[in-house]
Amino acid sequence: MNLDKLLMMKGVPQTRDFSYNNVLYVGDEPKACISIIEKFNNMLQEIENVHKGWFMDRYTQNKFSLHDKLQYHIHYHFEGGVVVFNFGNEDELPAHIRAECFNACKSLKLSQFRNIS
């Protein structure tokens, strides 16, 4: 089963501009959803560690850390059994770090589809 069919079954609106690059989970099992989000958060931490210099050089206001963290740039959206992540509205993440986040999401999707089939 492909992602298009799963999303249609979940009633996710299909539009021309809809991108699957940020879909983390499709399903109705809370434990599976939490597991995927935890795996994604671990992957985000690995990405942050690789680019530690970029994050350490940035000060954050009103956050719990003295330096920036990748997690501060990620927002999750849950709707109808579908979980997506987005970046903040005025996000300043470099394009290569964003691309790594999308690649992490893609690898999680592939592992989910391997588990389904």
Side-chain angles (χ1 to χ4, degrees):
M1 182 177 304
N2 68 29
L3 186 57
D4 289 325
K5 288 181 183 176
L6 277 172
L7 291 172
M8 285 191 304
M9 289 169 51
K10 294 291 176 190
V12 175
Q14 300 294 308
T15 65
R16 209 170 357 111
D17 300 328
F18 188 77
S19 168
Y20 301 122
N21 291 337
N22 62 340
V23 175
L24 285 168
Y25 176 77
V26 178
D28 295 321
E29 297 180 32
K31 286 183 182 179
C33 179
I34 290 170
S35 174
I36 291 296
I37 291 172
E38 287 174 349
K39 287 178 185 176
F40 186 65
N41 286 335
N42 289 337
M43 295 171 102
L44 292 178
Q45 186 60 56
E46 290 175 22
I47 293 168
E48 181 182 324
N49 291 341
V50 168
H51 302 286
K52 195 165 199 75
W54 189 86
F55 290 98
M56 292 297 287
D57 289 342
R58 295 175 47 86
Y59 171 75
T60 59
Q61 291 183 323
N62 304 322
K63 302 289 183 186
F64 300 109
S65 175
L66 294 176
H67 60 85
D68 199 8
K69 294 186 170 288
L70 182 52
Q71 193 64 49
Y72 295 160
H73 298 267
I74 302 291
H75 305 278
Y76 296 101
H77 180 74
F78 302 82
E79 185 173 334
V82 178
V83 180
V84 299
F85 79 93
N86 293 304
F87 299 101
N89 289 339
E90 296 180 19
D91 199 270
E92 299 172 353
L93 279 175
H96 65 280
I97 295 176
R98 285 174 179 256
E100 289 181 41
C101 294
F102 288 128
N103 286 336
C105 179
K106 183 189 288 186
S107 74
L108 282 174
K109 272 190 284 205
L110 291 174
S111 70
Q112 289 178 69
F113 286 124
R114 275 187 231 119
N115 291 338
I116 290 173
S117 29

